[in-house]
Amino acid sequence: MSTFRPALLTDHYELTMVSAALRDGTAARRCAFEVFSRRLPAGRRYGVVAGTARLVEMIHDFRFGADEVDFLRRTGVVDDAAAEWLAGYRFTGDVDGYAEGELFFPGSPILTVSGGFAECVVLETLVLSVLNHDCAVAAAAARMVTAARGRTLIEMGSRRAHEEAAVAAARAAYLAGFRFTSNLAAGRRYGIPTAGTAAHAFTLLHDDERAAFASQVATLGKDTTLLVDTYDISQGIRTAIEVAGPELRAVRIDSGDLAVIAQQSRELLDSLGATETKIIVSGDLDEYAIAALAAEPVDMYGAGTAVVTGSGAPTAGLVYKLVEVEGRPVVKRSEHKATIGGRKVAVRRHKPTGTATEEIIVPQGVPDRQPNDRLLQHSFVVDGEPVALPSLEESREHLRQCLISIPWEGLKLSAGDPAIPVTVIPTS
């Protein structure tokens, strides 16, 4: 179960609206809120939906405890009527949206929350906190997976993130195609395979490098990874093979000019008979650094800071906007922040070969479906109760298929237009 404390992810202004709506009688009006991005982060050609399963669990468990309600009343955030309403809060509405692992583009209605105004508006911060973080990490991780060209990626960024964000980031990176995480909490909570090796501190602890390597091999066997760049990399590799033999699983290099060092290390390992020993590189790798190593004899990449911080885009830029009240479309007309009224339905259009060509969005209507269209929205919560969702493994495979489906230009790391265009078709 989630350890989430709900009131800590509710903003003051949300409860201001709840209090006022309860007082004036509009709190129960049936409304629809949509989550979407007005634009993709600079240089990106697609976004990745991630965090939905986490969010659904949190919405189901969303409660205001007695201590939290007392704090809100005592500090004047809510009045007595609102405090009583919060004490009995349970979400009874519906949540629909794009599946985890789905790609999204500017304007894509990736999540729709519908129900009474108050019960929906109080979820805004929670929804955006989860989705903005997880979608940002997943998009960055997906770009790294593309750059790695089939080579293994290990997520190892826990020390660069908030403790709970680190677990969520590991999940999002795995969804995007990373094979391992070093975060054991993520391994336990989500079943993600874990991997790791000793740090420089372990080598420095011992009298010399040989003693450190011997200790690690004695404990873990030859199917381990030795960190060889604490002192001299070439000597470190020689010592590693002397201690473990040519059956050593891998060496890790965490510093220096990785392209040059990887070539030299491969040549040295081969000359020592360790032709099957893998080379793992790490050290501030992002998608561009990984792409630059594509021609080098690197077997695995360890990515940390860049992946857990969205590689320059720490938020997906998602917003949560009211689009419908009692079946009536409502719009915001603010300059540069205008919205399209009405609840949306979206499909992804494909060629017969499976290549995606366009995303079609219809407000307040049903799209004219073509043979190769795929409906993008699915039910996640109905009348307050979660429905069965795909597993993390299934979502991971879904994203892999989505990335295969977009035109190859959409996978480029260079700045450009979204991978496919989005067309909003007005209803007649």
Side-chain angles (χ1 to χ4, degrees):
M1 294 296 289
S2 172
T3 57
F4 163 65
R5 294 296 295 165
L8 301 181
L9 276 179
T10 304
D11 268 11
H12 193 131
Y13 83 91
E14 293 164 10
L15 297 188
T16 297
M17 290 188 284
V18 167
S19 296
L22 287 168
R23 183 177 291 273
D24 70 17
T26 58
R29 285 187 176 179
R30 185 76 181 181
C31 293
F33 289 80
E34 284 182 348
V35 176
F36 61 92
S37 175
R38 292 188 176 92
R39 63 194 66 84
L40 297 175
R44 303 293 173 87
R45 299 177 183 233
Y46 60 83
V48 176
V49 177
T52 307
R54 293 202 312 117
L55 177 62
V56 167
E57 179 185 356
M58 290 181 178
I59 291 175
H60 182 258
D61 294 342
F62 195 93
R63 302 288 187 273
F64 291 85
D67 290 346
E68 294 155 349
V69 173
D70 179 65
F71 162 76
L72 295 171
R73 179 192 285 114
R74 179 166 38 84
T75 55
V77 176
V78 298
D79 58 20
D80 289 345
E84 182 179 354
W85 183 86
L86 292 172
Y89 181 86
R90 303 290 187 275
F91 180 70
T92 63
D94 301 331
V95 179
D96 305 274
Y98 287 27
E100 278 206 270
E102 189 62 72
L103 303 183
F104 70 86
F105 304 95
S108 296
I110 69 172
L111 197 79
T112 304
V113 180
S114 55
F117 174 79
E119 68 173 332
C120 293
V121 78
V122 79
L123 296 175
E124 179 176 356
T125 297
L126 170 63
V127 169
L128 292 181
S129 176
V130 172
L131 295 183
N132 268 314
H133 173 267
D134 287 26
C135 292
V137 173
R143 285 160 59 86
M144 294 179 195
V145 169
T146 297
R149 299 184 182 181
R151 294 171 178 173
T152 296
L153 282 157
I154 306 170
E155 184 281 313
M156 48 201 321
S158 297
R159 299 167 189 173
R160 302 293 185 267
H162 181 277
E163 60 270 20
E164 276 299 313
V167 181
R171 181 185 183 280
Y174 183 71
L175 168 72
F178 276 52
R179 278 191 60 190
F180 301 99
T181 178
S182 64
N183 189 296
L184 294 176
R188 179 176 180 271
R189 193 178 300 178
Y190 300 116
I192 301 170
T194 61
T197 186
H200 293 107
F202 187 72
T203 301
L204 296 170
L205 169 69
H206 292 79
D207 294 336
D208 55 37
E209 197 170 48
R210 180 180 298 275
F213 290 170
S215 173
Q216 186 174 334
V217 172
T219 302
L220 300 173
K222 297 181 179 182
D223 190 26
T224 190
T225 299
L226 297 178
L227 181 61
V228 296
D229 70 338
T230 304
Y231 305 116
D232 177 84
I233 294 175
S234 295
Q235 184 56 50
I237 290 175
R238 290 189 180 91
T239 302
I241 301 304
E242 288 172 7
V243 169
E247 298 83 13
L248 176 65
R249 182 174 71 95
V251 297
R252 179 164 75 96
I253 302 164
D254 192 51
S255 59
D257 185 333
L258 295 178
V260 173
I261 293 172
Q263 290 181 2
Q264 294 174 344
S265 297
R266 183 74 270 159
E267 291 171 2
L268 179 55
L269 285 166
D270 290 348
S271 72
L272 296 171
T275 56
E276 299 301 316
T277 299
K278 306 299 184 185
I279 296 175
I280 303 173
V281 298
S282 56
D284 295 324
L285 296 180
D286 61 12
E287 61 266 47
Y288 303 105
I290 291 170
L293 293 168
E296 310 306 335
V298 174
D299 299 290
M300 301 184 195
Y301 304 96
T305 302
V307 68
V308 300
T309 59
S311 193
T315 174
L318 301 173
V319 296
Y320 183 91
K321 298 300 178 184
L322 180 65
V323 295
E324 185 178 281
V325 177
E326 301 286 10
R328 172 178 56 85
V330 294
V331 298
K332 176 180 176 180
R333 294 191 172 89
S334 305
E335 187 174 0
H336 304 305
K337 291 188 175 182
T339 59
I340 299 173
R343 182 175 180 144
K344 320 296 188 305
V345 176
V347 297
R348 185 79 39 80
R349 188 149 289 168
H350 299 78
K351 295 179 180 178
T353 57
T355 301
T357 59
E358 189 177 16
E359 185 164 312
I360 307 295
I361 300 173
V362 178
Q364 292 290 107
V366 178
D368 181 17
R369 298 278 295 277
Q370 296 185 8
N372 297 300
D373 286 356
R374 180 165 59 83
L375 191 64
L376 296 175
Q377 281 120 333
H378 308 271
S379 292
F380 300 145
V381 178
V382 177
D383 295 332
E385 291 300 318
V387 301
L389 299 179
S391 68
L392 181 56
E393 292 293 341
E394 290 170 331
S395 297
R396 175 180 162 96
E397 174 60 19
H398 182 70
L399 174 55
R400 191 182 73 83
Q401 294 296 332
C402 285
L403 290 172
I404 291 173
S405 75
I406 61 175
W408 68 269
E409 295 92 343
L411 297 176
K412 289 182 176 180
L413 299 181
S414 57
D417 294 330
I420 61 172
V422 175
T423 301
V424 180
I425 299 178
T427 53
S428 54

